[in-house]
Amino acid sequence: MKSYVIVKSTKGRGRGVYALKNFKEGDIIERCPVLNLTPKERQHCSKTMLNFYMYPWRSTRSASIVLGYGSLYNHSYEPNADWKQNFHTNKMIYTAIKPIKKGEEILINYNGEPDDKTEIDWFDVK
């Protein structure tokens, strides 16, 4: 399957995921396989740099590392994409929730819901 996203440097954020084509609202951007971690593995990984790349999986005690570009999407309280877990296929699905233009950074809300404005205390939102 051809990828329509690329990772590039992002001012003030390190790296980010950018669109290589125009996406319409509802378009699937990426289907990413995940590596599921047990609560014990999550606890161990939380002491490493992987702590900043883990997603919750089924509960906040377990976690997943999302492959593809999944763990590299940056956060925004005004995202243009959303992520949903597919427990049956063990994949994370990233979908456009607004039109995204070619060359635009694809942003998700780390809180899990696009309109959730809850403060994220483990990093500075830019």
Side-chain angles (χ1 to χ4, degrees):
M1 181 177 173
K2 182 172 169 117
S3 178
Y4 293 103
V5 294
I6 190 169
V7 173
K8 298 188 329 186
S9 293
T10 301
K11 186 176 182 178
R13 298 180 186 233
R15 295 178 290 180
V17 180
Y18 288 79
L20 289 176
K21 71 168 201 149
N22 294 328
F23 288 98
K24 298 181 303 232
E25 182 178 340
D27 283 352
I28 292 177
I29 298 166
E30 190 177 16
R31 291 180 180 93
C32 300
V34 300
L35 298 174
N36 293 316
L37 304 174
T38 66
K40 185 175 182 178
E41 290 167 332
R42 180 190 178 121
Q43 189 174 31
H44 177 74
C45 288
S46 70
K47 298 172 187 159
T48 73
M49 72 179 292
L50 290 176
N51 186 52
F52 300 104
Y53 298 94
M54 293 188 291
Y55 282 80
W57 194 262
R58 295 196 184 265
S59 77
T60 55
R61 292 184 63 233
S62 61
S64 65
I65 301 295
V66 183
L67 303 177
Y69 294 131
S71 289
L72 298 176
Y73 289 93
N74 282 318
H75 168 78
S76 174
Y77 289 119
E78 301 295 328
N80 53 16
D82 191 21
W83 56 276
K84 295 292 180 222
Q85 301 150 319
N86 185 319
F87 299 119
H88 179 69
T89 62
N90 276 325
K91 290 186 178 179
M92 194 74 80
I93 312 300
Y94 295 85
T95 306
I97 57 171
K98 328 177 161 171
I100 302 170
K101 293 184 183 200
K102 181 179 179 180
E104 186 177 350
E105 185 174 9
I106 301 169
L107 301 165
I108 61 172
N109 187 329
Y110 288 174
N111 286 319
E113 293 299 328
D115 59 352
D116 186 341
K117 307 280 192 223
T118 304
E119 185 176 323
I120 298 174
D121 62 359
W122 49 270
F123 80 105
D124 292 328
V125 178
K126 299 192 191 284

